Amino acid sequence: FFSFFLCQIHYHPHVQEDSHHHAKFDRCKGIEFDAIAPDEKGNTFFFKGDHLWKGFSGPAELANGTFKELDEYHHLGHVDAAFRMHNKDGDPLKDHDHIFFFLGDKVFSYYNHSLEKGYPLEIQQVFPGIPCHLDAAVECPKGECITDSVLFFKGHEVYSFDIKTKTVKKKLWNHLPNCTSAFRWLEHYYCFHGHNFTRFNPVSGEVEGNYPKDARRYFMRCQDFGHGAEHRKPRCKLDAMSMDDTGKTYAFIESMYIRLDSHRDGSHPFPITRSWKEVSGRVDAVFNHGDRIYIIQGNQIYIYKSATPYTLIEGYPKPLKDELGIEGPVNAAFLCANEHVVHIIKGQKMLDIDLAATPRAAKSEFPLSIADIDAAICDAEGVKVYVGAKYYLYQSPRILAMGKIMPVAHKISPEKFGCEE
């Protein structure tokens, strides 16, 4: 009865476009999508009526060619909502990376484009407290939301569903347009409405920046719609790199940054100010320690909480001399996993600073055989030192400090870093 009541109270079906039901849509003419979701391999699907598009370019095709059972169990007029589950802490990981589709009062779970056994089920059986005939849905991992969650949209009502506890918090986001689809891409959240989109904060619903924007400029390749009208690729010359304890990896180039470990879902440069609001212009060095991210710019240092959205610690920025005991500017900085000594490269020397010490100061100084270093990072392969469009791999900070023979030079990948040679 409760399931029926939820569906009846909230029922407001989409208007069907019968005249276009069997036609192939052209998304470059402006389309209001029914749902958007990536699969476990990172391929993004855009849904409209009984058709879908695979990726950011290419023609429409029938949805039942990829997700067959959607038509067999429910005549596919359209998909109400869809999202890819993020549930790494699940026990077992039975639904992590599965795509969930919502049609009327039913939910379908797919993995590798195959319907999971036992589905479809009523929405209430899988997501108790979530209404039927949804408008949109999007996953929100812990760190971006307070817990691993799913946001469900119905009109201006937003249901935040905690995956672990299966509890729901209902919110009213009147300031946000009615989302017909929602999409998480590279840590950012987008509400699609008409042929436009609006970026929003997944916790507060807050909209920052100049929105709405035309989706054809950003999420598809259309001949008459250039990317943002002014997008250009920077030169392959890094300013800084960083990696935190979870493996989240960023490269900083000019006034932009790009996330490197999310290549499954694609890559894209964003302005540094989008994630670190107080930092404008180029940075000199970035490193992570504990749950903090340190950004060095000239003689100043900014320290942020490393969970997104990044929050500047009160009292910062501070002079670099006060925080680390050295003067700026610096060339690069890196910290290896499970260590508390940050290695600062300044000119052609490396300074070691113990972050556990008080006060902090350079405890060791080493001359380096390599000059003109732009950026450095310590990862599972060793220490990578970037010079122009090339990088050199050292097995450890000690070998970088003591070595006299230059390692083999490797070219920076323009595809990986979104830059031009």
Side-chain angles (χ1 to χ4, degrees):
F1 172 79
F2 180 66
S3 169
F4 175 79
F5 179 76
L6 256 177
C7 293
Q8 291 301 106
I9 288 293
H10 292 276
Y11 179 66
H12 63 270
H14 292 276
V15 176
Q16 293 297 302
E17 301 175 40
D18 293 325
S19 59
H20 297 289
H21 186 70
H22 297 292
K24 283 207 172 187
F25 301 102
D26 180 358
R27 57 180 163 177
C28 288
K29 290 182 179 177
I31 277 181
E32 185 172 81
F33 295 109
D34 294 329
I36 304 171
D39 68 7
E40 70 283 351
K41 295 183 178 70
N43 304 307
T44 300
F45 293 91
F46 296 78
F47 294 85
K48 179 64 178 178
D50 57 0
H51 283 71
L52 61 74
W53 292 261
K54 295 177 180 177
F56 301 107
S57 62
E61 55 188 75
L62 286 168
N64 60 14
T66 304
F67 302 99
K68 296 176 182 176
E69 297 88 353
L70 290 179
D71 239 0
E72 292 174 14
Y73 284 91
H74 187 295
H75 177 61
L76 187 60
H78 68 278
V79 173
D80 290 335
F83 75 92
R84 181 181 68 192
M85 176 68 80
H86 183 94
N87 186 21
K88 281 189 172 180
D89 295 332
D91 186 23
L93 299 177
K94 60 179 182 179
D95 55 7
H96 179 64
D97 271 354
H98 289 211
I99 303 183
F100 285 83
F101 293 100
F102 298 83
L103 287 78
D105 61 352
K106 296 289 192 290
V107 59
F108 297 70
S109 174
Y110 278 82
Y111 188 76
N112 199 22
H113 302 175
S114 296
L115 185 67
E116 288 292 292
K117 187 177 180 181
Y119 282 87
L121 293 168
E122 288 192 5
I123 292 173
Q124 290 298 306
Q125 292 177 264
V126 186
F127 301 98
I130 301 303
C132 308
H133 306 287
L134 293 161
D135 290 331
V138 65
E139 73 280 8
C140 188
K142 183 179 179 180
E144 296 170 28
C145 282
I146 297 167
T147 61
D148 282 333
S149 306
V150 184
L151 303 179
F152 294 96
F153 296 79
K154 190 172 176 98
H156 289 296
E157 294 175 352
V158 178
Y159 299 78
S160 180
F161 183 88
D162 186 308
I163 293 168
K164 188 174 182 179
T165 63
K166 292 187 179 292
T167 54
V168 180
K169 289 183 180 177
K170 185 177 171 182
K171 307 175 183 181
L172 196 62
W173 287 353
N174 283 322
H175 57 281
L176 205 60
N178 274 11
C179 308
T180 61
S181 56
F183 184 37
R184 172 184 176 265
W185 191 58
L186 304 179
E187 297 183 300
H188 297 299
Y189 291 78
Y190 302 94
C191 161
F192 284 76
H193 46 96
H195 56 78
N196 295 318
F197 69 90
T198 295
R199 185 166 65 91
F200 65 94
N201 181 300
V203 177
S204 66
E206 184 182 0
V207 175
E208 293 182 357
N210 185 25
Y211 289 95
K213 293 181 179 178
D214 196 315
R216 292 170 289 186
R217 288 192 183 277
Y218 296 86
F219 289 96
M220 55 203 79
R221 297 190 183 101
C222 298
Q223 191 171 357
D224 299 326
F225 294 86
H227 183 296
E230 71 281 328
H231 176 66
R232 69 168 184 86
K233 289 185 177 180
R235 281 179 55 221
C236 289
K237 179 178 166 63
L238 305 187
D239 290 327
M241 288 192 68
S242 75
M243 182 172 68
D244 68 14
D245 293 341
T246 66
K248 196 182 291 183
T249 309
Y250 294 109
F252 297 80
I253 307 176
E254 297 179 2
S255 60
M256 312 293 284
Y257 77 91
I258 187 167
R259 185 168 170 186
L260 301 177
D261 61 296
S262 56
H263 56 85
R264 176 181 73 166
D265 295 331
S267 61
H268 193 283
F270 294 108
I272 292 171
T273 50
R274 178 176 280 198
S275 288
W276 299 277
K277 297 176 188 176
E278 296 81 6
V279 181
S280 59
R282 303 179 81 135
V283 301
D284 295 330
V286 181
F287 65 92
N288 285 76
H289 177 57
D291 61 350
R292 300 286 188 265
I293 182 166
Y294 296 68
I295 299 177
I296 301 173
Q297 189 179 54
N299 280 306
Q300 299 283 305
I301 186 165
Y302 299 77
I303 303 182
Y304 287 83
K305 294 178 181 177
S306 60
T308 51
Y310 300 108
T311 307
L312 186 67
I313 302 295
E314 189 176 348
Y316 288 87
K318 285 183 178 179
L320 187 59
K321 179 77 172 175
D322 293 354
E323 188 69 29
L324 297 182
I326 61 171
E327 299 281 358
V330 304
N331 292 58
F334 66 92
L335 190 76
C336 296
N338 303 315
E339 291 191 7
H340 51 80
V341 174
V342 61
H343 307 279
I344 303 283
I345 296 171
K346 184 176 168 68
Q348 207 166 336
K349 59 187 178 182
M350 184 169 79
L351 310 174
D352 287 356
I353 299 171
D354 187 347
L355 296 174
T358 306
R360 292 167 177 170
K363 65 174 187 174
S364 307
E365 182 177 312
F366 305 95
L368 300 176
S369 60
I370 183 170
D372 302 319
I373 294 172
D374 296 318
I377 190 170
C378 183
D379 61 19
E381 295 179 280
V383 178
K384 292 172 183 167
V385 174
Y386 293 81
V387 180
K390 297 178 180 178
Y391 73 92
Y392 302 85
L393 178 61
Y394 294 84
Q395 288 179 300
S396 68
R398 182 176 178 82
I399 291 174
L400 169 62
M402 303 297 186
K404 301 300 179 188
I405 301 172
M406 289 274 287
V408 175
H410 302 270
K411 282 182 66 176
I412 289 176
S413 165
E415 293 78 23
K416 180 178 180 179
F417 290 93
C419 56
E420 289 183 334
E421 295 182 65

